[in-house]
Amino acid sequence: MRTDRFFITYFLLVIVQILTYNYLHVTHYLLLSILPVLVLLVPIRFNTIGCLFIAFVTGLAADLFGDGVIGLNILALLPVALARRSIIRLIFGGEVFARKEDISIIRHGADKMLLSVLMVQSIFLILYVWADAAGTRPFWFNAARFGTSLLAGTVVSLFVARILAPERDTRWR
């Protein structure tokens, strides 16, 4: 996907996330966030510093315009951006960086994308739930919130990954 089209879609999905934060409160046990997969799918040509900047701006926008605590999404997204290259190298291999190709479900398969989404969602949710609770909620509530949010967030994130990287080319699969 071309970079300009990618960032237009990225921006629209951030708006969808902000609207979700503001208007979709199903239960206290569910935190539905697509921000980790957005950071995961930033084009490969962006190095870690660039990805950290994008994650910071994304988290700041979600915190400022969403119904939440300022800094909470930033706190949870920056480690995702920091671990992004390592996760991609671990799951998709170093060839992705050598070929300078972006990751997608079509090109690399749903199983690899599922595993990488689970990893970034886990990093994000562990930090978000831990910081949001601030030691005031019991462990079992936090564990239930983490589990339901991980399950729902992973399912939604796979659909978002399909939207954000809709390549039709399967030559590297």
Side-chain angles (χ1 to χ4, degrees), residues 30-125:
L30 179 64
L31 167 69
L32 190 60
S33 183
I34 59 172
L35 298 178
V37 75
L38 295 180
V39 171
L40 175 69
L41 293 175
V42 168
I44 292 295
R45 66 180 180 84
F46 285 91
N47 61 7
T48 302
I49 301 298
C51 192
L52 282 167
F53 178 74
I54 292 169
F56 178 81
V57 171
T58 302
L60 182 63
D63 286 336
L64 286 177
F65 301 115
D67 184 24
V69 178
I70 301 296
L72 201 52
N73 281 302
I74 297 170
L75 172 76
L77 269 183
L78 289 180
V80 170
L82 198 59
R84 175 181 162 265
R85 290 184 75 85
S86 299
I87 290 170
I88 291 172
R89 190 174 309 280
L90 178 70
I91 305 291
F92 299 100
E95 299 84 22
V96 172
F97 297 107
R99 290 188 233 137
K100 295 185 181 356
E101 68 177 9
D102 297 328
I103 59 175
S104 71
I105 291 179
I106 297 296
R107 184 171 286 180
H108 297 98
D111 53 344
K112 289 183 180 182
M113 187 60 74
L114 175 66
L115 187 56
S116 62
V117 167
L118 274 171
M119 291 177 77
V120 295
Q121 280 282 350
S122 294
I123 293 169
F124 178 84
L125 287 170

